[in-house]
Amino acid sequence: MSASSSSGDGLSRQRRRQWFEHEIERLMDRLYGTALRLTRHPDDAEDIVAESIGKAWTKLDELRDPERFEGWLFHILNNTFINEWRRRQCRPKLADDPDNCEPDDLDATHFSLFQQLHQPFLLWWGSTEDRFLNELLQDDLQQALDALPDPYRVIVVFVEVQGCTYGEVAELLGIPLGTVRSRLSRGRAMLQKVLWKQAREAGFTVDCRGTEGKPS
Amino acid sequence: MTRRELTCEEVIEQLFDYLDREVSSQHRADIERHLERCRDCFSRAEFEKRLRAKVEKSVSVQAPQRLRRRVKDLLDRFDTDETNSTN
Ligand SMILES: [Zn+2]
């Protein structure tokens, strides 16, 4: 190898590394936050982020369009998580059989927060939905997401947080599209039910409707 | 020819598909036309949109410094390996 080409390689490698690190830094909090919601455990989240970044760095040549780096990296993160998740499952097909890990109190196929909150008439002081959303904190959402069983939480995170299409999720998890739909809809209902339960426990009330004190 | 208007029930049933951008553009236009005219469905759609935005934001968590150092070490190690193997 000639001196000039070797120093050229060194320079471009250095530039590549700079670019890569800059991109990683920009995405780091979201990578970590997403991994944390997927795994629920800080140590596992760190492992998955580090492994994904390592993979991305070694496979960087495969990325044709640098503009798509973000989506590409999150795709690697998802796959890394899924591989690890599968590896850890004692029952090999748990991903396809979520019913046996679903707590009874989360049974919420059709639960809708909106229906709990919505007033059929307009209130001059603003809607209950607005008040609910305004009082909802990041911690509440994190707790509620973490309360969902894995097969549901993972799909909610893929779709609502990462904006994956149903087709992408089906491919990632190796499950039929219909299963993605039904689990997503159930996961959302569960999430809303947990948020509702948390809010009521924290003293949130729906005024003028008389639902207080009724068993749900 | 005018297309049949969607009912509230149909709109609510497809609301999440719509928010997830899983409906055709024609269907999307039909739903949007309904949302422009129906206060109840509009409020519902707004609520789900805002809740979803909150879910999306909830993953913004500060990554620990330890992780940043770990990543840097990892990249350094890859670089060293690469340099050694090319020389
Ligand atoms: Zn309507």
Side-chain angles (χ1 to χ4, degrees), chain A residues 13 17 25 29 33 46-47 50 57-58 114 130 133-134 136 138 141-142 159 165-166 181 188 192, chain B residues 16-17 20 22 44 48 50 52 54 58-61 63-64 66 68 70 74 76 79 82-83:
Chain A
R13 199 188 299 147
R17 166 89 187 250
E25 185 48 42
D29 288 348
E46 287 183 37
D47 287 349
W57 177 241
T58 52
F114 183 81
D130 282 346
L133 287 169
N134 292 337
L136 199 57
Q138 194 171 344
L141 282 156
Q142 289 173 356
V159 173
T165 64
Y166 299 171
R181 277 179 188 279
R188 276 173 167 147
Q192 297 204 352
Chain B
F16 283 107
D17 281 14
D20 293 338
E22 294 280 341
R44 172 79 189 262
E48 302 298 350
R50 285 181 61 196
R52 188 201 175 106
K54 291 222 164 205
S58 77
V59 304
S60 206
V61 178
R66 184 181 54 223
R68 290 189 155 82
R70 180 170 163 188
L74 186 71
D76 284 345
D79 266 3
E82 205 180 324
T83 315

mmCIF file of all heavy atoms in Angstrom, chain A residues 13 17 25 29 33 46-47 50 57-58 114 130 133-134 136 138 141-142 159 165-166 181 188 192, chain B residues 16-17 20 22 44 48 50 52 54 58-61 63-64 66 68 70 74 76 79 82-83:
data_model
loop_
_atom_site.group_PDB
_atom_site.id
_atom_site.type_symbol
_atom_site.label_atom_id
_atom_site.label_comp_id
_atom_site.label_asym_id
_atom_site.label_seq_id
_atom_site.Cartn_x
_atom_site.Cartn_y
_atom_site.Cartn_z
ATOM 1 N N ARG A 13 -11.087 7.434 7.463
ATOM 2 C CA ARG A 13 -11.544 6.643 8.597
ATOM 3 C C ARG A 13 -11.815 7.568 9.798
ATOM 4 O O ARG A 13 -12.798 7.423 10.504
ATOM 5 C CB ARG A 13 -10.488 5.610 8.965
ATOM 6 C CG ARG A 13 -11.068 4.468 9.803
ATOM 7 C CD ARG A 13 -9.999 3.563 10.335
ATOM 8 N NE ARG A 13 -9.230 2.919 9.283
ATOM 9 C CZ ARG A 13 -7.936 2.636 9.416
ATOM 10 N NH1 ARG A 13 -7.275 2.955 10.503
ATOM 11 N NH2 ARG A 13 -7.293 2.051 8.428
ATOM 12 N N ARG A 17 -15.354 8.257 11.545
ATOM 13 C CA ARG A 17 -15.530 8.064 12.979
ATOM 14 C C ARG A 17 -16.149 9.314 13.598
ATOM 15 O O ARG A 17 -17.056 9.227 14.421
ATOM 16 C CB ARG A 17 -14.167 7.753 13.605
ATOM 17 C CG ARG A 17 -14.086 7.847 15.113
ATOM 18 C CD ARG A 17 -14.436 6.547 15.807
ATOM 19 N NE ARG A 17 -14.488 6.754 17.245
ATOM 20 C CZ ARG A 17 -13.605 6.269 18.106
ATOM 21 N NH1 ARG A 17 -12.611 5.530 17.671
ATOM 22 N NH2 ARG A 17 -13.732 6.504 19.400
ATOM 23 N N GLU A 25 -24.139 10.602 19.216
ATOM 24 C CA GLU A 25 -24.373 11.514 20.331
ATOM 25 C C GLU A 25 -25.757 12.155 20.209
ATOM 26 O O GLU A 25 -26.494 12.288 21.168
ATOM 27 C CB GLU A 25 -23.273 12.589 20.364
ATOM 28 C CG GLU A 25 -23.343 13.538 21.552
ATOM 29 C CD GLU A 25 -23.527 12.831 22.894
ATOM 30 O OE1 GLU A 25 -22.879 11.788 23.122
ATOM 31 O OE2 GLU A 25 -24.337 13.316 23.706
ATOM 32 N N ASP A 29 -29.685 9.641 23.671
ATOM 33 C CA ASP A 29 -30.737 9.627 24.701
ATOM 34 C C ASP A 29 -31.965 8.846 24.230
ATOM 35 O O ASP A 29 -32.580 8.114 24.998
ATOM 36 C CB ASP A 29 -31.154 11.065 25.075
ATOM 37 C CG ASP A 29 -30.069 11.765 25.886
ATOM 38 O OD1 ASP A 29 -29.132 11.071 26.348
ATOM 39 O OD2 ASP A 29 -30.149 13.001 26.051
ATOM 40 N N GLY A 33 -33.316 5.543 25.847
ATOM 41 C CA GLY A 33 -34.698 5.591 26.341
ATOM 42 C C GLY A 33 -35.567 4.516 25.694
ATOM 43 O O GLY A 33 -36.365 3.870 26.366
ATOM 44 N N GLU A 46 -28.443 -0.668 28.450
ATOM 45 C CA GLU A 46 -27.080 -0.251 28.089
ATOM 46 C C GLU A 46 -26.407 -1.302 27.211
ATOM 47 O O GLU A 46 -25.750 -0.971 26.218
ATOM 48 C CB GLU A 46 -26.246 -0.022 29.356
ATOM 49 C CG GLU A 46 -26.634 1.254 30.084
ATOM 50 C CD GLU A 46 -25.763 1.517 31.303
ATOM 51 O OE1 GLU A 46 -24.549 1.237 31.248
ATOM 52 O OE2 GLU A 46 -26.306 1.998 32.319
ATOM 53 N N ASP A 47 -26.590 -2.578 27.563
ATOM 54 C CA ASP A 47 -25.983 -3.656 26.765
ATOM 55 C C ASP A 47 -26.479 -3.600 25.329
ATOM 56 O O ASP A 47 -25.699 -3.725 24.382
ATOM 57 C CB ASP A 47 -26.344 -5.034 27.355
ATOM 58 C CG ASP A 47 -25.583 -5.307 28.644
ATOM 59 O OD1 ASP A 47 -24.652 -4.538 28.964
ATOM 60 O OD2 ASP A 47 -25.938 -6.278 29.349
ATOM 61 N N ALA A 50 -25.123 -0.505 23.413
ATOM 62 C CA ALA A 50 -23.701 -0.658 23.081
ATOM 63 C C ALA A 50 -23.521 -1.679 21.955
ATOM 64 O O ALA A 50 -22.793 -1.437 20.986
ATOM 65 C CB ALA A 50 -22.906 -1.080 24.319
ATOM 66 N N TRP A 57 -21.412 0.279 13.585
ATOM 67 C CA TRP A 57 -20.074 0.748 13.193
ATOM 68 C C TRP A 57 -19.404 -0.254 12.270
ATOM 69 O O TRP A 57 -18.812 0.114 11.251
ATOM 70 C CB TRP A 57 -19.233 1.010 14.445
ATOM 71 C CG TRP A 57 -17.815 1.431 14.176
ATOM 72 C CD1 TRP A 57 -16.690 0.784 14.555
ATOM 73 C CD2 TRP A 57 -17.386 2.613 13.468
ATOM 74 N NE1 TRP A 57 -15.576 1.468 14.135
ATOM 75 C CE2 TRP A 57 -15.970 2.596 13.464
ATOM 76 C CE3 TRP A 57 -18.048 3.664 12.844
ATOM 77 C CZ2 TRP A 57 -15.201 3.588 12.870
ATOM 78 C CZ3 TRP A 57 -17.281 4.657 12.236
ATOM 79 C CH2 TRP A 57 -15.881 4.612 12.256
ATOM 80 N N THR A 58 -19.510 -1.541 12.592
ATOM 81 C CA THR A 58 -18.839 -2.533 11.754
ATOM 82 C C THR A 58 -19.561 -2.749 10.423
ATOM 83 O O THR A 58 -18.947 -3.184 9.457
ATOM 84 C CB THR A 58 -18.702 -3.898 12.474
ATOM 85 O OG1 THR A 58 -19.991 -4.279 12.969
ATOM 86 C CG2 THR A 58 -17.746 -3.804 13.637
ATOM 87 N N PHE A 114 -60.606 7.872 26.551
ATOM 88 C CA PHE A 114 -61.432 8.970 26.062
ATOM 89 C C PHE A 114 -62.873 8.806 26.537
ATOM 90 O O PHE A 114 -63.509 9.756 26.984
ATOM 91 C CB PHE A 114 -61.383 9.031 24.537
ATOM 92 C CG PHE A 114 -62.151 10.169 23.947
ATOM 93 C CD1 PHE A 114 -61.600 11.439 23.905
ATOM 94 C CD2 PHE A 114 -63.432 9.979 23.452
ATOM 95 C CE1 PHE A 114 -62.302 12.502 23.363
ATOM 96 C CE2 PHE A 114 -64.144 11.038 22.905
ATOM 97 C CZ PHE A 114 -63.578 12.308 22.869
ATOM 98 N N ASP A 130 -58.464 17.399 28.345
ATOM 99 C CA ASP A 130 -57.328 18.325 28.398
ATOM 100 C C ASP A 130 -56.665 18.277 29.765
ATOM 101 O O ASP A 130 -55.446 18.224 29.875
ATOM 102 C CB ASP A 130 -57.801 19.770 28.151
ATOM 103 C CG ASP A 130 -58.054 20.010 26.669
ATOM 104 O OD1 ASP A 130 -57.607 19.175 25.860
ATOM 105 O OD2 ASP A 130 -58.700 21.015 26.338
ATOM 106 N N LEU A 133 -54.655 15.082 30.176
ATOM 107 C CA LEU A 133 -53.395 15.085 29.416
ATOM 108 C C LEU A 133 -52.390 16.049 30.026
ATOM 109 O O LEU A 133 -51.200 15.768 30.071
ATOM 110 C CB LEU A 133 -53.662 15.442 27.951
ATOM 111 C CG LEU A 133 -54.342 14.349 27.122
ATOM 112 C CD1 LEU A 133 -54.794 14.890 25.778
ATOM 113 C CD2 LEU A 133 -53.395 13.165 26.912
ATOM 114 N N ASN A 134 -52.903 17.191 30.491
ATOM 115 C CA ASN A 134 -51.990 18.178 31.064
ATOM 116 C C ASN A 134 -51.355 17.691 32.364
ATOM 117 O O ASN A 134 -50.236 18.060 32.690
ATOM 118 C CB ASN A 134 -52.711 19.503 31.307
ATOM 119 C CG ASN A 134 -53.087 20.162 29.995
ATOM 120 O OD1 ASN A 134 -52.489 19.887 28.959
ATOM 121 N ND2 ASN A 134 -54.103 21.017 30.032
ATOM 122 N N LEU A 136 -50.738 14.565 33.020
ATOM 123 C CA LEU A 136 -50.003 13.327 32.783
ATOM 124 C C LEU A 136 -48.501 13.588 32.699
ATOM 125 O O LEU A 136 -48.053 14.372 31.878
ATOM 126 C CB LEU A 136 -50.502 12.733 31.455
ATOM 127 C CG LEU A 136 -50.257 11.272 31.150
ATOM 128 C CD1 LEU A 136 -50.835 10.380 32.213
ATOM 129 C CD2 LEU A 136 -50.864 10.940 29.791
ATOM 130 N N GLN A 138 -44.302 12.365 32.506
ATOM 131 C CA GLN A 138 -43.458 11.391 31.813
ATOM 132 C C GLN A 138 -43.309 10.098 32.635
ATOM 133 O O GLN A 138 -43.351 9.002 32.081
ATOM 134 C CB GLN A 138 -42.086 12.023 31.572
ATOM 135 C CG GLN A 138 -41.255 11.250 30.577
ATOM 136 C CD GLN A 138 -39.995 12.002 30.186
ATOM 137 O OE1 GLN A 138 -39.868 13.192 30.420
ATOM 138 N NE2 GLN A 138 -39.050 11.294 29.610
ATOM 139 N N LEU A 141 -46.268 7.776 32.272
ATOM 140 C CA LEU A 141 -46.262 7.031 31.015
ATOM 141 C C LEU A 141 -45.234 5.912 31.038
ATOM 142 O O LEU A 141 -45.492 4.808 30.564
ATOM 143 C CB LEU A 141 -45.972 7.975 29.854
ATOM 144 C CG LEU A 141 -47.200 8.781 29.452
ATOM 145 C CD1 LEU A 141 -46.813 10.056 28.763
ATOM 146 C CD2 LEU A 141 -48.099 7.936 28.569
ATOM 147 N N GLN A 142 -44.069 6.207 31.597
ATOM 148 C CA GLN A 142 -43.032 5.181 31.669
ATOM 149 C C GLN A 142 -43.508 4.009 32.516
ATOM 150 O O GLN A 142 -43.359 2.847 32.144
ATOM 151 C CB GLN A 142 -41.744 5.778 32.228
ATOM 152 C CG GLN A 142 -41.090 6.717 31.224
ATOM 153 C CD GLN A 142 -39.895 7.456 31.790
ATOM 154 O OE1 GLN A 142 -39.580 7.334 32.967
ATOM 155 N NE2 GLN A 142 -39.236 8.225 30.956
ATOM 156 N N VAL A 159 -44.460 0.787 17.329
ATOM 157 C CA VAL A 159 -45.379 1.577 16.504
ATOM 158 C C VAL A 159 -45.497 3.021 16.997
ATOM 159 O O VAL A 159 -45.336 3.970 16.230
ATOM 160 C CB VAL A 159 -46.780 0.912 16.443
ATOM 161 C CG1 VAL A 159 -47.778 1.818 15.744
ATOM 162 C CG2 VAL A 159 -46.690 -0.424 15.724
ATOM 163 N N THR A 165 -44.152 0.672 10.670
ATOM 164 C CA THR A 165 -45.421 0.251 10.064
ATOM 165 C C THR A 165 -45.768 -1.138 10.610
ATOM 166 O O THR A 165 -44.911 -1.839 11.146
ATOM 167 C CB THR A 165 -45.307 0.140 8.531
ATOM 168 O OG1 THR A 165 -44.371 -0.904 8.222
ATOM 169 C CG2 THR A 165 -44.813 1.448 7.921
ATOM 170 N N TYR A 166 -47.040 -1.520 10.458
ATOM 171 C CA TYR A 166 -47.457 -2.849 10.927
ATOM 172 C C TYR A 166 -46.645 -3.923 10.214
ATOM 173 O O TYR A 166 -46.263 -4.923 10.812
ATOM 174 C CB TYR A 166 -48.946 -3.083 10.668
ATOM 175 C CG TYR A 166 -49.889 -2.113 11.363
ATOM 176 C CD1 TYR A 166 -51.252 -2.107 11.070
ATOM 177 C CD2 TYR A 166 -49.421 -1.203 12.320
ATOM 178 C CE1 TYR A 166 -52.131 -1.237 11.694
ATOM 179 C CE2 TYR A 166 -50.287 -0.317 12.942
ATOM 180 C CZ TYR A 166 -51.654 -0.330 12.628
ATOM 181 O OH TYR A 166 -52.517 0.534 13.234
ATOM 182 N N ARG A 181 -51.791 -6.354 14.576
ATOM 183 C CA ARG A 181 -52.956 -5.489 14.788
ATOM 184 C C ARG A 181 -53.661 -5.778 16.101
ATOM 185 O O ARG A 181 -53.953 -4.876 16.868
ATOM 186 C CB ARG A 181 -53.982 -5.721 13.674
ATOM 187 C CG ARG A 181 -53.704 -4.955 12.435
ATOM 188 C CD ARG A 181 -54.767 -5.288 11.394
ATOM 189 N NE ARG A 181 -54.405 -4.699 10.130
ATOM 190 C CZ ARG A 181 -54.631 -3.425 9.840
ATOM 191 N NH1 ARG A 181 -55.261 -2.650 10.689
ATOM 192 N NH2 ARG A 181 -54.228 -2.921 8.701
ATOM 193 N N ARG A 188 -52.671 -1.081 23.460
ATOM 194 C CA ARG A 188 -53.091 0.313 23.665
ATOM 195 C C ARG A 188 -54.193 0.400 24.706
ATOM 196 O O ARG A 188 -54.196 1.287 25.556
ATOM 197 C CB ARG A 188 -53.616 0.885 22.353
ATOM 198 C CG ARG A 188 -52.528 1.394 21.476
ATOM 199 C CD ARG A 188 -53.088 1.793 20.130
ATOM 200 N NE ARG A 188 -52.114 2.562 19.410
ATOM 201 C CZ ARG A 188 -51.976 2.538 18.086
ATOM 202 N NH1 ARG A 188 -52.779 1.798 17.345
ATOM 203 N NH2 ARG A 188 -51.059 3.262 17.508
ATOM 204 N N GLN A 192 -53.974 2.359 28.268
ATOM 205 C CA GLN A 192 -54.931 3.385 28.682
ATOM 206 C C GLN A 192 -55.574 3.000 30.005
ATOM 207 O O GLN A 192 -55.835 3.848 30.850
ATOM 208 C CB GLN A 192 -55.987 3.584 27.593
ATOM 209 C CG GLN A 192 -55.381 4.095 26.293
ATOM 210 C CD GLN A 192 -56.368 4.836 25.414
ATOM 211 O OE1 GLN A 192 -57.554 4.868 25.684
ATOM 212 N NE2 GLN A 192 -55.867 5.448 24.346
ATOM 213 N N PHE B 16 -57.176 4.332 14.738
ATOM 214 C CA PHE B 16 -55.760 4.046 14.986
ATOM 215 C C PHE B 16 -55.019 3.688 13.699
ATOM 216 O O PHE B 16 -53.870 4.064 13.528
ATOM 217 C CB PHE B 16 -55.600 2.962 16.053
ATOM 218 C CG PHE B 16 -55.826 3.499 17.441
ATOM 219 C CD1 PHE B 16 -56.973 3.187 18.144
ATOM 220 C CD2 PHE B 16 -54.905 4.356 18.032
ATOM 221 C CE1 PHE B 16 -57.193 3.697 19.417
ATOM 222 C CE2 PHE B 16 -55.112 4.875 19.302
ATOM 223 C CZ PHE B 16 -56.262 4.546 19.997
ATOM 224 N N ASP B 17 -55.702 2.975 12.820
ATOM 225 C CA ASP B 17 -55.084 2.707 11.515
ATOM 226 C C ASP B 17 -54.759 4.028 10.822
ATOM 227 O O ASP B 17 -53.715 4.191 10.201
ATOM 228 C CB ASP B 17 -56.036 1.908 10.617
ATOM 229 C CG ASP B 17 -56.031 0.428 10.986
ATOM 230 O OD1 ASP B 17 -55.514 0.096 12.061
ATOM 231 O OD2 ASP B 17 -56.537 -0.383 10.197
ATOM 232 N N ASP B 20 -51.860 5.683 12.588
ATOM 233 C CA ASP B 20 -50.634 4.934 12.309
ATOM 234 C C ASP B 20 -50.249 5.007 10.832
ATOM 235 O O ASP B 20 -49.293 4.362 10.415
ATOM 236 C CB ASP B 20 -50.816 3.451 12.692
ATOM 237 C CG ASP B 20 -50.970 3.273 14.195
ATOM 238 O OD1 ASP B 20 -50.545 4.164 14.944
ATOM 239 O OD2 ASP B 20 -51.531 2.240 14.612
ATOM 240 N N GLU B 22 -51.801 3.738 8.289
ATOM 241 C CA GLU B 22 -51.957 2.419 7.671
ATOM 242 C C GLU B 22 -53.179 2.370 6.763
ATOM 243 O O GLU B 22 -53.674 1.301 6.453
ATOM 244 C CB GLU B 22 -52.074 1.340 8.767
ATOM 245 C CG GLU B 22 -50.820 1.143 9.596
ATOM 246 C CD GLU B 22 -49.765 0.273 8.911
ATOM 247 O OE1 GLU B 22 -50.099 -0.468 7.977
ATOM 248 O OE2 GLU B 22 -48.593 0.364 9.309
ATOM 249 N N ARG B 44 -62.032 12.988 19.786
ATOM 250 C CA ARG B 44 -61.437 11.684 20.062
ATOM 251 C C ARG B 44 -60.085 11.562 19.357
ATOM 252 O O ARG B 44 -59.087 11.129 19.937
ATOM 253 C CB ARG B 44 -62.394 10.574 19.594
ATOM 254 C CG ARG B 44 -61.845 9.179 19.641
ATOM 255 C CD ARG B 44 -61.886 8.619 21.040
ATOM 256 N NE ARG B 44 -61.188 7.362 21.159
ATOM 257 C CZ ARG B 44 -61.764 6.162 21.140
ATOM 258 N NH1 ARG B 44 -63.058 6.062 21.009
ATOM 259 N NH2 ARG B 44 -61.039 5.075 21.280
ATOM 260 N N GLU B 48 -56.368 11.057 21.139
ATOM 261 C CA GLU B 48 -55.463 9.934 20.863
ATOM 262 C C GLU B 48 -54.124 10.429 20.316
ATOM 263 O O GLU B 48 -53.075 9.900 20.636
ATOM 264 C CB GLU B 48 -56.096 8.938 19.886
ATOM 265 C CG GLU B 48 -57.431 8.336 20.343
ATOM 266 C CD GLU B 48 -57.350 7.513 21.629
ATOM 267 O OE1 GLU B 48 -56.228 7.229 22.105
ATOM 268 O OE2 GLU B 48 -58.420 7.175 22.174
ATOM 269 N N ARG B 50 -52.692 13.353 20.949
ATOM 270 C CA ARG B 50 -51.906 13.986 22.015
ATOM 271 C C ARG B 50 -51.346 12.948 22.982
ATOM 272 O O ARG B 50 -50.218 13.066 23.461
ATOM 273 C CB ARG B 50 -52.749 15.024 22.752
ATOM 274 C CG ARG B 50 -52.952 16.304 21.955
ATOM 275 C CD ARG B 50 -53.759 17.315 22.733
ATOM 276 N NE ARG B 50 -53.121 17.713 23.982
ATOM 277 C CZ ARG B 50 -53.763 18.339 24.975
ATOM 278 N NH1 ARG B 50 -55.035 18.640 24.852
ATOM 279 N NH2 ARG B 50 -53.123 18.670 26.077
ATOM 280 N N ARG B 52 -50.623 9.908 22.248
ATOM 281 C CA ARG B 52 -49.569 9.227 21.522
ATOM 282 C C ARG B 52 -48.273 10.046 21.517
ATOM 283 O O ARG B 52 -47.174 9.500 21.666
ATOM 284 C CB ARG B 52 -50.057 9.003 20.100
ATOM 285 C CG ARG B 52 -49.190 8.150 19.277
ATOM 286 C CD ARG B 52 -49.500 8.446 17.838
ATOM 287 N NE ARG B 52 -48.583 7.716 17.027
ATOM 288 C CZ ARG B 52 -48.915 6.639 16.351
ATOM 289 N NH1 ARG B 52 -50.132 6.197 16.369
ATOM 290 N NH2 ARG B 52 -48.005 6.004 15.652
ATOM 291 N N LYS B 54 -47.375 11.987 23.771
ATOM 292 C CA LYS B 54 -46.795 11.868 25.116
ATOM 293 C C LYS B 54 -46.062 10.539 25.289
ATOM 294 O O LYS B 54 -45.013 10.481 25.931
ATOM 295 C CB LYS B 54 -47.894 11.990 26.174
ATOM 296 C CG LYS B 54 -48.492 13.384 26.257
ATOM 297 C CD LYS B 54 -48.693 13.788 27.695
ATOM 298 C CE LYS B 54 -48.899 15.275 27.805
ATOM 299 N NZ LYS B 54 -48.511 15.779 29.124
ATOM 300 N N SER B 58 -42.063 10.008 26.026
ATOM 301 C CA SER B 58 -41.689 9.390 27.301
ATOM 302 C C SER B 58 -40.392 8.594 27.196
ATOM 303 O O SER B 58 -39.803 8.242 28.202
ATOM 304 C CB SER B 58 -42.811 8.478 27.807
ATOM 305 O OG SER B 58 -42.821 7.267 27.094
ATOM 306 N N VAL B 59 -39.938 8.294 25.983
ATOM 307 C CA VAL B 59 -38.691 7.536 25.882
ATOM 308 C C VAL B 59 -37.459 8.435 25.873
ATOM 309 O O VAL B 59 -36.344 7.958 25.765
ATOM 310 C CB VAL B 59 -38.629 6.627 24.634
ATOM 311 C CG1 VAL B 59 -39.802 5.693 24.602
ATOM 312 C CG2 VAL B 59 -38.528 7.442 23.384
ATOM 313 N N SER B 60 -37.691 9.731 25.991
ATOM 314 C CA SER B 60 -36.534 10.606 26.027
ATOM 315 C C SER B 60 -35.938 10.608 27.436
ATOM 316 O O SER B 60 -36.434 11.283 28.318
ATOM 317 C CB SER B 60 -36.947 12.015 25.616
ATOM 318 O OG SER B 60 -35.843 12.664 25.085
ATOM 319 N N VAL B 61 -34.941 9.778 27.606
ATOM 320 C CA VAL B 61 -34.321 9.620 28.919
ATOM 321 C C VAL B 61 -32.836 9.903 28.749
ATOM 322 O O VAL B 61 -32.251 9.502 27.750
ATOM 323 C CB VAL B 61 -34.481 8.172 29.426
ATOM 324 C CG1 VAL B 61 -33.809 7.979 30.763
ATOM 325 C CG2 VAL B 61 -35.939 7.784 29.497
ATOM 326 N N ALA B 63 -29.199 9.328 28.700
ATOM 327 C CA ALA B 63 -28.339 8.149 28.751
ATOM 328 C C ALA B 63 -27.223 8.386 29.759
ATOM 329 O O ALA B 63 -26.691 9.484 29.845
ATOM 330 C CB ALA B 63 -27.756 7.868 27.368
ATOM 331 N N PRO B 64 -26.864 7.358 30.527
ATOM 332 C CA PRO B 64 -25.813 7.533 31.534
ATOM 333 C C PRO B 64 -24.436 7.785 30.889
ATOM 334 O O PRO B 64 -24.161 7.253 29.811
ATOM 335 C CB PRO B 64 -25.820 6.225 32.311
ATOM 336 C CG PRO B 64 -26.609 5.259 31.505
ATOM 337 C CD PRO B 64 -27.456 6.013 30.553
ATOM 338 N N ARG B 66 -21.748 6.586 31.779
ATOM 339 C CA ARG B 66 -21.057 5.298 31.699
ATOM 340 C C ARG B 66 -21.234 4.663 30.319
ATOM 341 O O ARG B 66 -20.311 4.092 29.748
ATOM 342 C CB ARG B 66 -21.654 4.402 32.792
ATOM 343 C CG ARG B 66 -21.023 3.053 32.938
ATOM 344 C CD ARG B 66 -21.715 2.263 34.031
ATOM 345 N NE ARG B 66 -23.157 2.185 33.792
ATOM 346 C CZ ARG B 66 -24.077 2.342 34.748
ATOM 347 N NH1 ARG B 66 -23.720 2.581 35.982
ATOM 348 N NH2 ARG B 66 -25.358 2.248 34.459
ATOM 349 N N ARG B 68 -21.890 6.246 27.510
ATOM 350 C CA ARG B 68 -21.141 7.019 26.502
ATOM 351 C C ARG B 68 -19.670 6.597 26.496
ATOM 352 O O ARG B 68 -19.057 6.447 25.440
ATOM 353 C CB ARG B 68 -21.262 8.518 26.802
ATOM 354 C CG ARG B 68 -22.649 9.069 26.547
ATOM 355 C CD ARG B 68 -22.653 10.591 26.651
ATOM 356 N NE ARG B 68 -23.745 11.160 25.882
ATOM 357 C CZ ARG B 68 -25.001 11.251 26.306
ATOM 358 N NH1 ARG B 68 -25.341 10.793 27.512
ATOM 359 N NH2 ARG B 68 -25.946 11.777 25.544
ATOM 360 N N ARG B 70 -18.491 3.729 27.503
ATOM 361 C CA ARG B 70 -18.428 2.356 27.006
ATOM 362 C C ARG B 70 -18.434 2.318 25.480
ATOM 363 O O ARG B 70 -17.671 1.560 24.862
ATOM 364 C CB ARG B 70 -19.631 1.601 27.567
ATOM 365 C CG ARG B 70 -19.711 0.163 27.140
ATOM 366 C CD ARG B 70 -20.781 -0.540 27.938
ATOM 367 N NE ARG B 70 -21.184 -1.785 27.321
ATOM 368 C CZ ARG B 70 -22.211 -2.511 27.746
ATOM 369 N NH1 ARG B 70 -22.934 -2.095 28.782
ATOM 370 N NH2 ARG B 70 -22.521 -3.640 27.146
ATOM 371 N N LEU B 74 -15.494 1.070 22.987
ATOM 372 C CA LEU B 74 -15.816 0.051 21.992
ATOM 373 C C LEU B 74 -15.325 0.466 20.599
ATOM 374 O O LEU B 74 -14.670 -0.296 19.891
ATOM 375 C CB LEU B 74 -17.330 -0.145 21.982
ATOM 376 C CG LEU B 74 -17.927 -1.261 21.135
ATOM 377 C CD1 LEU B 74 -17.604 -2.611 21.770
ATOM 378 C CD2 LEU B 74 -19.444 -1.096 21.045
ATOM 379 N N ASP B 76 -13.028 2.702 19.922
ATOM 380 C CA ASP B 76 -11.561 2.731 19.938
ATOM 381 C C ASP B 76 -10.999 1.341 19.678
ATOM 382 O O ASP B 76 -10.047 1.164 18.927
ATOM 383 C CB ASP B 76 -11.050 3.223 21.303
ATOM 384 C CG ASP B 76 -11.214 4.734 21.452
ATOM 385 O OD1 ASP B 76 -11.442 5.404 20.421
ATOM 386 O OD2 ASP B 76 -11.132 5.233 22.592
ATOM 387 N N ASP B 79 -11.334 0.379 16.132
ATOM 388 C CA ASP B 79 -10.363 1.125 15.330
ATOM 389 C C ASP B 79 -8.986 0.509 15.430
ATOM 390 O O ASP B 79 -8.287 0.362 14.433
ATOM 391 C CB ASP B 79 -10.293 2.585 15.814
ATOM 392 C CG ASP B 79 -11.229 3.463 14.996
ATOM 393 O OD1 ASP B 79 -11.933 2.902 14.134
ATOM 394 O OD2 ASP B 79 -11.258 4.681 15.226
ATOM 395 N N GLU B 82 -8.862 -2.641 13.488
ATOM 396 C CA GLU B 82 -8.851 -2.381 12.052
ATOM 397 C C GLU B 82 -7.456 -1.930 11.602
ATOM 398 O O GLU B 82 -6.928 -2.389 10.605
ATOM 399 C CB GLU B 82 -9.879 -1.306 11.725
ATOM 400 C CG GLU B 82 -10.376 -1.361 10.300
ATOM 401 C CD GLU B 82 -11.400 -0.258 10.032
ATOM 402 O OE1 GLU B 82 -12.197 0.063 10.935
ATOM 403 O OE2 GLU B 82 -11.360 0.295 8.927
ATOM 404 N N THR B 83 -6.864 -1.007 12.393
ATOM 405 C CA THR B 83 -5.536 -0.509 12.053
ATOM 406 C C THR B 83 -4.538 -1.659 12.058
ATOM 407 O O THR B 83 -3.716 -1.778 11.152
ATOM 408 C CB THR B 83 -5.088 0.564 13.077
ATOM 409 O OG1 THR B 83 -6.182 1.441 13.302
ATOM 410 C CG2 THR B 83 -3.912 1.344 12.569
#
